[in-house]
Amino acid sequence: MTSKIQDVQLFKPDAFEDFRGDIYTTWDANEYPQLNWRLDKFSHSRKDVLRGLHGDFSTWKLINCLYGEFYLVVADNRPESPTYKQWEWHVLSATNRKQVLIPPGCGNAHFILSDNAVFHYKLAFDGTYNDVEKQFVIKWNDPEWKFEWPHNNPILFSRDK
């Protein structure tokens, strides 16, 4: 799988399946030994909720969907990047098992397509993680970015309006 945004990586892990179900590895440190995974987060949201667009300039994020389905937007907010101000979307679901590795300087947002969704982020950073203090916010409807969403009236947190 490919991405048009520099340094964004898309993965679909192979699964071992048998009569009990399946199992797959979400991350193998041998692939990117330089990433210092420090924090794991799980989030649950309901249909039509939009979380984000947030990011910072020091955190790598690996995002996947454990239950349901969501529309993930990744936006390159790195002024020095050749893909600055470009964005892309991917549908992540428990069924397709796609994962996205997002570099520092890119923001991301999740728009929930199914009745409920549970997603997981794995975060790598140096120093102390600052969840809100050092984050940038890109408005979901910023006319300069021209984002396309599956719904034009999402449920938003006050910070994202």
Side-chain angles (χ1 to χ4, degrees):
M1 292 182 276
T2 61
S3 169
K4 71 177 182 182
I5 297 178
Q6 184 179 25
D7 303 321
V8 171
Q9 301 288 317
L10 306 173
F11 300 89
K12 183 176 180 187
D14 292 327
F16 171 78
E17 297 182 46
D18 64 18
F19 69 93
R20 300 167 295 170
D22 61 22
I23 186 169
Y24 59 96
T25 300
T26 60
W27 185 258
D28 181 346
N30 293 316
E31 298 290 323
Y32 291 88
Q34 73 278 19
L35 294 180
N36 181 18
W37 295 116
R38 307 272 310 267
L39 188 62
D40 277 17
K41 292 185 175 196
F42 290 89
S43 182
H44 170 260
S45 294
R46 61 187 174 90
K47 187 173 184 67
D48 297 335
V49 165
L50 192 154
R51 291 182 173 266
L53 280 142
H54 308 146
D56 63 40
F57 292 97
S58 61
T59 305
W60 284 86
K61 299 177 206 168
L62 178 66
I63 299 174
N64 61 17
C65 183
L66 303 173
Y67 178 83
E69 180 177 64
F70 63 89
Y71 179 89
L72 174 72
V73 166
V74 179
D76 191 344
N77 198 32
R78 301 169 294 177
E80 73 286 353
S81 170
T83 53
Y84 178 55
K85 295 272 184 172
Q86 292 183 31
W87 65 276
E88 64 187 26
W89 63 270
H90 304 279
V91 174
L92 276 61
S93 71
T95 305
N96 71 22
R97 288 195 280 260
K98 290 180 182 176
Q99 301 183 115
V100 180
L101 178 64
I102 302 171
C106 289
N108 61 282
H110 312 80
F111 180 84
I112 310 307
L113 299 169
S114 54
D115 288 339
N116 289 283
V118 177
F119 48 97
H120 172 242
Y121 330 21
K122 193 171 195 61
L123 306 172
F125 51 88
D126 292 326
T128 304
Y129 180 66
N130 295 302
D131 192 19
V132 175
E133 295 85 6
K134 293 185 179 179
Q135 283 188 347
F136 58 80
V137 175
I138 302 168
K139 297 301 180 189
W140 72 280
N141 58 355
D142 185 323
E144 185 177 347
W145 285 85
K146 299 179 182 153
F147 296 114
E148 296 174 14
W149 299 99
H151 190 295
N152 61 3
N153 191 23
I155 300 166
L156 298 165
F157 185 64
S158 58
R159 176 181 181 207
D160 301 321
K161 290 184 178 179

